[in-house]
């Protein structure tokens, strides 16, 4: 097995500090809009609103820009992650056209902002190449070509990929796609928001929102409150909605690696294949004469596997077979995406609220989805009509996806059965340093972890969101909830929602 240092087990971008000066909120404050969450959704929304003259406050539980956006591979695509063939079948042609238009507009908006704000983020336009990999049935390309043309995408069929043994392979080339360095872009957005009198607070976990007499009150864990006219939950998965949205999307883990590659060895493009889950590849500017090749894929439903080394090995083997010039591994990491059951995310007014908004269901297109969310929510707040509001309406009932709805919610049913199953190990005393496992204690299940110094950390295995049973994630040394994707540290603290409260400590 490859020996990988802890420094390597973070994304390629993590070293960029998006907002070095951001501190916790220490007093009650007022604003026009309070945005909860400082990833691509939160910072893009705050930027759009600050541009329109609103006073904006952004609160984040952790550091600014260090959520899933810090783990992205940043393909900026106006294609559909689930294929246009699939999207047309699920939502119809008109919806698929609007979907493409909204993501194309998001790429245009990023391009315009990085120019207007002089953000040095390596933004560039390039082709997106969908190809049939070794052993894959290329006939899907014919159907996707037809579907993409129907939705109005500029696409052409080509022969020949710049990969070993794929010189004759067929592919589709989508024009005017793009990519950038996500953390450099977020750093530029954060600076622009601050310059427009927006305020960013890190280390400020939000526990709830109350809507009263045309105002919203967002309360933080440290007892501080922001009073505003509007609240936007940009928390990747809503922490304000407890059930409805979470039954319409499912959490998946996805894996990424960065390798060095001699500059010029591969044409600069976005590449992805027809596998399920698909592999995704692109280049990023590196130091000296080397660039980075970033590859991602090997997805699985959250909590249903804990075999990251095997997945990284498979990703590396797949890449080396196609790109013999590949250099050494520089980084490996994983993160979470939410798959909406009808292939379209949820953006807009939170069902049941007047002035509370949300964005989730990012899928593997969360970067453009995030900018679509910013444009749409800014329009809703400003009282302007927006052509995409119905497409993304969080209150919709995805009728054509009823089968997917049942199958995704079976995770919760299966999970509750785990309460009566035996523990994974007989006793916490059996844990080796660095290991976590579930232990049965009478009628309860305990999430047990032994740290590298030998100390034991025991918590209830019951997720504080809706009570599903957490699973150990050895790559990230944390507990994952398979039902709706909450993640908890070994100290029980929430790392990823929808949970807002920590795992209960277990006292022996
Ligand atoms: C490995 C990987 C590869 C990907 N590749 C691509 C790609 O190529 N192209 C693409 O378009 N998308 C891709 N995605 C998806 C994309 O990165 C995400 O969808 C996107 O970054 C999500 O942005 P966000 O703003 O919704 O969430 P985040 O960036 O996670 O931001 C949410 C923020 O909310 C904060 N927060 C949460 N709860 C609270 C609370 N209660 N109080 C205060 N703050 C809170 C968090 O701390 C976090 O900072 C990829 C994702 C992964 C993991
Ligand atoms: S995330 Fe919903 S029960 Fe755990």
């Amino acid at each position: 097995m490859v020996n990988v240092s802890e420094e390597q087990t973070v994304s390629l971008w993590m070293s960029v500090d998006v907002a070095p000066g951001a501190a916790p909120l220490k007093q009650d404050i007022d604003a026009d809009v309070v945005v909860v969450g400082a990833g691509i959704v939160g910072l893009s929304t705050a930027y759009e609103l600050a541009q329109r003259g609103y006073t904006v406050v952004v609160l984040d539980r952790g550091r600014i820009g260090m959520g899933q956006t810090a783990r992205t591979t940043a393909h900026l695509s106006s294609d559909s992650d689930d294929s246009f063939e699939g999207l047309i079948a699920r939502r119809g042609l008109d919806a698929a056209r609007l979907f493409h238009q909204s993501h194309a507009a998001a790429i245009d908006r990023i391009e315009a902002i990085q120019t207007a704000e002089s953000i040095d983020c390596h933004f560039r336009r390039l082709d997106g190449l969908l190809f049939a990999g070794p052993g894959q049935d290329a006939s899907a390309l014919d159907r996707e070509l037809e579907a993409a043309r129907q939705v109005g995408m500029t696409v052409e069929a080509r022969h020949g990929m710049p990969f070993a043994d794929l010189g004759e392979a067929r592919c589709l080339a989508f024009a005017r796609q793009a990519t950038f360095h996500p953390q450099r872009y977020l750093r530029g957005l954060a600076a622009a928001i601050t310059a427009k009198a927006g305020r960013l607070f890190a280390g400020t976990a939000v526990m709830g929102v109350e809507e009263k007499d045309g105002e919203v009150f967002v309360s933080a864990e440290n007892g501080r409150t922001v009073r505003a006219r509007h609240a936007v939950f940009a928390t990747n998965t809503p922490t304000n909605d407890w059930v409805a949205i979470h039954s319409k999307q499912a959490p998946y883990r996805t894996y990424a690696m960065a390798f060095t590659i001699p500059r010029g060895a591969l044409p600069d493009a976005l590449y992805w294949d027809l596998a399920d889950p698909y592999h995704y590849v692109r280049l990023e500017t590196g130091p000296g004469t080397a660039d980075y090749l970033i590859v991602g894929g090997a997805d699985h439903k959250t909590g249903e596997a804990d075999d990251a080394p095997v997945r990284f090995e498979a990703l590396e083997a797949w890449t080396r077979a196609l790109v013999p010039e590949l250099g050494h591994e520089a980084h490996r990491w994983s993160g979470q995406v939410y798959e909406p059951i009808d292939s379209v995310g949820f953006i807009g007014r939170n069902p049941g609220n007047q002035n509370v908004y949300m964005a989730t269901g990012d899928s593997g297109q969360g970067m453009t989805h995030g900018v679509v969310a910013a444009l749409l929510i800014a329009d809703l707040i400003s009282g302007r009509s927006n052509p995409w509001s119905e497409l993304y309406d969080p209150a919709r009932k995805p009728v054509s996806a009823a089968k997917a709805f049942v199958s995704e919610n079976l995770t919760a049913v299966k999970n509750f059965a785990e309460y009566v199953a035996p523990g994974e190990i007989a006793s916490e005393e059996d844990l080796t340093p660095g290991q976590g496992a579930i232990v049965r204690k009478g009628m309860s299940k305990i999430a047990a972890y032994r740290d590298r110094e030998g100390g034991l950390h025991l918590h209830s295995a019951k997720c504080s969101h809706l009570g599903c049973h957490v699973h150990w994630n050895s790559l990230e040394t944390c507990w994952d909830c398979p039902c709706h994707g909450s993640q908890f540290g070994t100290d029980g603290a929430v790392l990823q929602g929808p949970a807002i409260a920590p795992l209960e400590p277990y006292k022996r």
Side-chain angles (χ1 to χ4, degrees):
M1 201 191 298
V2 194
N3 216 349
V4 186
S5 70
E6 268 179 37
E7 296 79 61
Q8 277 176 288
T9 317
V10 292
S11 83
L12 184 57
W13 337 104
M14 286 263 186
S15 57
V16 174
D17 197 343
V18 168
L25 177 68
K26 293 214 175 89
Q27 58 191 34
D28 295 347
I29 53 173
D30 291 350
D32 291 332
V33 186
V34 52
V35 177
V36 185
I40 187 74
V41 176
L43 292 183
S44 300
T45 306
Y47 177 83
E48 296 299 341
L49 290 163
Q51 269 295 93
R52 296 180 193 197
Y54 290 88
T55 57
V56 183
V57 164
V58 181
L59 309 175
D60 199 289
R61 174 200 288 130
R63 285 165 62 203
I64 302 295
M66 286 293 164
Q68 299 306 318
T69 305
R71 300 162 182 233
T72 193
T73 56
H75 291 227
L76 303 178
S77 171
S78 56
D79 184 25
S80 162
D81 208 41
D82 288 347
S83 79
F84 279 121
E85 187 193 6
L87 180 55
I88 293 170
R90 273 177 218 114
R91 295 292 302 267
L93 181 56
D94 288 346
R97 280 199 183 116
L98 285 172
F99 181 92
H100 160 59
Q101 286 161 12
S102 63
H103 284 258
I107 301 175
D108 291 346
R109 187 67 185 137
I110 292 170
E111 183 171 35
I113 291 173
Q114 57 95 37
T115 304
E117 303 294 344
S118 305
I119 304 174
D120 174 13
C121 62
H122 310 162
F123 177 91
R124 58 208 187 269
R125 291 279 184 174
L126 31 68
D127 282 346
L129 300 174
L130 169 63
F131 68 101
Q136 292 167 9
D137 175 11
S139 66
L141 293 178
D142 297 326
R143 299 194 300 277
E144 192 55 12
L145 176 65
E146 175 57 25
R149 282 188 175 145
Q150 281 182 1
V151 305
M153 253 192 121
T154 306
V155 55
E156 62 178 30
R158 287 187 195 162
H159 275 270
M161 291 293 297
F163 294 138
D165 299 328
L166 290 184
E168 293 302 313
R170 294 176 54 201
C171 72
L172 301 183
F174 300 96
R176 290 188 63 71
Q177 308 301 285
T179 192
F180 66 174
H181 187 303
Q183 297 306 88
R184 282 170 166 258
Y185 180 72
L186 287 195
R187 184 174 61 186
L189 273 189
I193 294 164
T194 312
K196 293 177 207 314
R199 287 170 288 172
L200 309 178
F201 296 96
T204 307
V206 165
M207 302 304 278
V209 57
E210 197 190 348
E211 195 169 17
K212 208 167 62 188
D213 304 329
E215 289 184 320
V216 293
F217 298 83
V218 165
S219 44
E221 196 176 28
N222 64 7
R224 297 299 167 207
T225 301
V226 182
R227 182 176 70 161
R229 284 195 284 140
H230 305 272
V232 180
F233 277 78
T235 44
N236 193 227
T237 186
T239 50
N240 54 317
D241 167 284
W242 218 227
V243 181
I245 291 294
H246 303 293
S247 61
K248 296 194 278 192
Q249 63 181 14
Y252 281 75
R253 303 298 303 174
T254 181
Y255 297 81
M257 303 176 87
F259 297 90
T260 56
I261 184 170
R263 186 157 299 148
L266 196 66
D268 197 13
L270 308 180
Y271 302 91
W272 68 105
D273 68 1
L274 289 171
D276 183 17
Y278 59 81
H279 301 91
Y280 44 99
V281 175
R282 75 149 175 113
L283 299 171
E284 175 60 29
T285 313
T289 55
D291 282 336
Y292 293 109
L293 179 148
I294 305 171
V295 57
D299 310 13
H300 63 81
K301 272 190 92 170
T302 296
E304 291 198 348
D306 185 29
D307 55 0
V310 178
R311 287 171 194 269
F312 286 125
E313 246 174 62
L315 274 181
E316 177 167 3
W318 180 87
T319 316
R320 287 201 185 279
L322 295 188
V323 187
E325 302 86 349
L326 205 65
H328 69 267
E329 177 185 330
H331 294 268
R332 59 169 62 188
W333 67 96
S334 103
Q336 190 154 283
V337 295
Y338 291 83
E339 294 295 343
I341 59 173
D342 66 357
S343 307
V344 179
F346 303 95
I347 304 169
R349 196 164 265 117
N350 191 58
N353 284 113
Q354 259 313 305
N355 295 317
V356 180
Y357 307 82
M358 51 150 291
T360 192
D362 48 12
S363 194
Q365 292 184 272
M367 300 306 287
T368 39
H369 168 88
V371 179
V372 171
L375 295 169
L376 175 43
I377 291 172
D379 279 353
L380 291 175
I381 288 176
S382 323
R384 297 185 198 168
S385 72
N386 182 292
W388 316 316
S389 52
E390 213 179 301
L391 174 70
Y392 292 102
D393 184 2
R396 72 181 185 274
K397 294 195 172 48
V399 180
S400 63
K403 256 166 85 194
F405 177 85
V406 172
S407 123
E408 293 302 1
N409 284 290
L410 279 177
T411 301
V413 176
K414 270 197 311 204
N415 187 276
F416 282 109
E418 290 180 24
Y419 274 98
V420 291
E424 292 166 341
I425 53 171
S427 157
E428 63 273 23
E429 301 308 329
D430 299 340
L431 287 169
T432 55
Q435 192 191 5
I438 300 294
V439 182
R440 173 171 280 290
K441 295 270 178 201
M443 294 304 286
S444 311
K445 286 287 188 75
I446 304 304
Y449 168 68
R450 187 182 294 284
D451 63 34
R452 306 229 174 252
E453 285 69 47
L456 270 176
H457 305 260
L458 304 180
H459 293 89
S460 163
K462 191 172 169 185
C463 172
S464 65
H465 176 227
L466 293 178
C468 283
H469 190 283
V470 296
H471 291 190
W472 179 241
N473 175 339
S474 53
L475 176 69
E476 303 200 21
T477 322
C478 66
W479 301 100
D480 290 354
C481 182
C483 285
H484 315 107
S486 291
Q487 215 175 31
F488 303 88
T490 51
D491 58 356
V494 179
L495 302 175
Q496 168 82 11
I500 47 175
L503 292 177
E504 288 269 330
Y506 175 78
K507 291 193 183 54
R508 290 203 274 183

